[in-house]
Amino acid sequence: MSLNFFDHREIIAKNLVTFLRQKGYSKLSLSKLTDISRATIDQIIKGKCLNSMEYNKQIEKINITFKLSDNYFITPLISINPITYTYSDQCADPEKSTKVKELLDGLNNVLDIYSLYLK
């Protein structure tokens, strides 16, 4: 690997979401295909705390799994959807009521189960 993916976290996060949408994968199905935990995939998408070596290793693993070039997630991908993406665990209002959290968790569970049958 000659690229330091860690330096391109923001564009990689956007492109990874676009890739998931275009290919019809959920975060769970990506996790199962790449053997990367769903929590780690969430961290990659949110640009959260992975050290640079671990981050580079996980992006390389995704590239290898899907036989993508090293710079695939660094070059802009054409999105067929709006650039703003919201997952049920992301919200403009960080203070969600207990009922909303419960409903969103239930929705995530339904989508995860559905993704098992999709791919």
Side-chain angles (χ1 to χ4, degrees):
M1 174 187 68
S2 59
L3 292 172
N4 184 6
F5 299 118
F6 191 77
D7 293 339
H8 305 279
R9 287 173 293 187
E10 188 175 318
I11 189 72
I12 288 174
K14 288 178 185 176
N15 285 338
L16 183 58
V17 170
T18 300
F19 176 80
L20 293 174
R21 298 262 179 182
Q22 288 176 342
K23 301 297 182 184
Y25 293 116
S26 67
K27 291 186 280 184
L28 180 65
S29 60
L30 179 66
S31 170
K32 289 183 178 197
L33 289 168
T34 59
D35 199 29
I36 299 171
S37 75
R38 182 160 180 239
T40 300
I41 290 171
D42 283 337
Q43 288 178 328
I44 292 169
I45 289 173
K46 293 176 184 177
K48 298 281 180 169
C49 346
L50 286 175
N51 68 49
S52 62
M53 286 181 58
E54 185 65 23
Y55 186 88
N56 288 333
K57 179 180 162 191
Q58 301 308 336
I59 299 302
E60 187 174 353
K61 200 179 222 186
I62 294 170
N63 287 339
I64 290 169
T65 299
F66 294 102
K67 298 180 174 100
L68 304 172
S69 64
D70 279 351
N71 67 346
Y72 183 85
F73 289 110
I74 294 172
T75 56
L77 296 179
I78 298 171
S79 175
I80 55 174
N81 293 325
I83 298 200
T84 304
Y85 299 98
T86 303
Y87 291 96
S88 60
D89 60 345
Q90 297 173 327
C91 186
D93 180 16
E95 299 299 321
K96 297 178 218 164
S97 72
T98 306
K99 184 67 174 176
V100 169
K101 288 179 185 177
E102 183 181 307
L103 290 170
L104 292 175
D105 286 343
L107 179 59
N108 269 338
N109 290 337
V110 169
L111 292 173
D112 286 345
I113 292 168
Y114 177 75
S115 71
L116 294 174
Y117 295 97
L118 189 61
K119 294 286 177 187

